[in-house]
Amino acid sequence: MDWIERVSEIRRWSRGGERAPHKPLLLLYALGHFQRHGNGLIPFSTAEAELKKLLKEYGPPRDTSPGYPFHHLTNDGLWLVETRHGPASPGPELGRLRESQAAGRLHPDLARALAEEPGLLGRMARYLLDANFAPSLHTDLCLLAGLDLETLETLTEIKKQRDRGFRDRVLMAYEYCCAFCSYDGWLDGAAVGLDAAHVRWWAFDGPDDVANGLCLCAIHHKLFDKGVLGLTAERTIAVSARFVGRSQSSRDMVLSLASRPAQQPQPGLDEVKQDHIDWHNHQVFRTPARG
């Protein structure tokens, strides 16, 4: 059985093209648990707070209950749930999962394959990361999920390969200068601390071209991918109203950016396309919670 293909076929909730990485986040968490403890049961009472944190930090801007992936992943042949009443999930409602003492684990066939096939866990985790999240988030996400990145970083990427020239084209377009703060550091003749950020994530069909790129310093790249920073239709910088920073550094490096025009690429080169900005604003940027 091709388990990577099985993972790629996970059924996801969908509405208007919104990101729905809830099942991938649970799988990454379960793979981390397997890597550390084997395929023992994971009580929902243990997983609930950790899944909630993963969903809050790496899910879409809307709030989602950890009960949804814990229950619904059972439909994909990768995850089993049992309760004090026997096998089968009681549903996604938090009260029922708690009351029934629900616990989950990877499907025994998948656990057997992970134990017998060296590298499968790393390849599966790498696929889940590449298919669902911006690269700048991978290290922190794996740490939160309890995955050992040393194994993952030795693996070749699966599916399509990133265009290695993307970074060079984007940094050149912005004259090796952060489009948000104007940082332009060099070390021994090479730009240092500057990244080519995808506005629409590569994992969600974001093209490797200048019209989908921004030259950002490392900290503003991470904040852009976490939804702290965004772009308006006028190409000014947006700062999430949900961001809190009390220090002078936070005020200088983040809060002071609000409404400041982002640097534009050199004349004759494409500015960021509006549909990519719209995608980022709907799928990543952290707007105030409704209600």
Side-chain angles (χ1 to χ4, degrees):
M1 178 180 295
D2 187 333
W3 286 103
I4 303 298
E5 182 177 353
R6 176 73 70 87
V7 168
S8 74
E9 294 172 349
I10 288 174
R11 294 185 291 277
R12 305 189 193 189
W13 177 90
S14 178
R15 184 183 66 191
E18 291 186 44
R19 283 197 307 130
H22 312 84
K23 290 181 180 180
L25 284 169
L26 172 55
L27 261 182
L28 286 166
Y29 172 77
L31 290 173
H33 186 275
F34 180 89
Q35 191 178 40
R36 300 190 314 276
H37 307 296
N39 202 34
L41 285 167
I42 307 173
F44 183 72
S45 60
T46 299
E48 181 178 0
E50 294 172 315
L51 284 175
K52 187 173 183 180
K53 187 172 183 180
L54 280 165
L55 287 164
K56 184 174 183 179
E57 291 203 30
Y58 298 101
R62 68 181 185 280
D63 291 331
T64 306
S65 165
Y68 287 113
F70 202 90
H71 165 73
H72 288 296
L73 188 59
T74 60
N75 297 323
D76 297 285
L78 301 165
W79 176 252
L80 298 179
V81 172
E82 58 186 71
T83 70
R84 61 188 175 88
H85 307 296
S89 172
E93 293 81 6
L94 295 180
R96 294 175 66 182
L97 287 164
R98 295 167 183 158
E99 187 277 332
S100 65
Q101 298 174 23
R105 59 178 174 145
L106 296 174
H107 191 286
D109 290 344
L110 172 55
R112 190 176 306 111
L114 289 170
E116 294 175 352
E117 186 178 340
L120 177 58
L121 187 150
R123 292 198 304 274
M124 186 174 291
R126 177 59 66 193
Y127 174 83
L128 288 164
L129 291 168
D130 285 344
N132 294 280
F133 305 100
S136 71
L137 305 179
H138 291 183
T139 299
D140 292 344
L141 197 166
C142 283
L143 287 172
L144 192 57
L147 275 164
D148 175 11
L149 262 184
E150 274 189 27
T151 301
L152 303 181
E153 289 174 343
T154 64
L155 300 170
T156 57
E157 292 182 349
I158 300 169
K159 301 269 184 181
K160 60 181 181 177
Q161 298 291 314
R162 290 182 175 85
D163 181 351
R164 295 181 183 276
F166 174 68
R167 179 178 185 272
D168 293 337
R169 292 194 298 274
V170 171
L171 266 60
M172 181 186 68
Y174 286 85
E175 300 181 90
Y176 300 89
C177 180
C178 176
F180 286 0
C181 71
S182 300
Y183 167 83
D184 61 352
W186 289 71
L187 177 67
D188 294 333
V192 63
L194 288 172
D195 299 332
H198 286 81
V199 179
R200 179 193 290 266
W201 291 355
W202 178 86
F204 289 84
D205 299 320
D208 286 327
D209 57 45
V210 171
N212 186 43
L214 283 171
C215 177
L216 296 177
C217 68
I219 188 168
H220 288 140
H221 185 185
K222 177 65 72 66
L223 295 176
F224 188 68
D225 285 346
K226 289 282 284 190
V228 173
L229 300 175
L231 277 179
T232 69
E234 294 74 32
R235 290 2 183 233
T236 60
I237 303 166
V239 177
S240 173
R242 295 160 69 173
F243 174 78
V244 176
R246 298 181 178 88
S247 69
Q248 187 63 45
S249 293
S250 292
R251 290 191 288 271
D252 292 344
M253 298 175 68
V254 183
L255 295 171
S256 68
L257 298 178
S259 301
R260 181 187 298 180
Q263 179 178 319
Q264 294 298 298
Q266 296 188 54
L269 298 179
D270 294 330
E271 66 178 3
V272 178
K273 288 185 177 178
Q274 185 61 47
D275 60 339
H276 299 324
I277 294 174
D278 291 342
W279 182 91
H280 186 274
N281 284 335
H282 287 102
Q283 303 291 342
V284 180
F285 185 65
R286 299 279 170 164
T287 55
R290 294 186 179 89

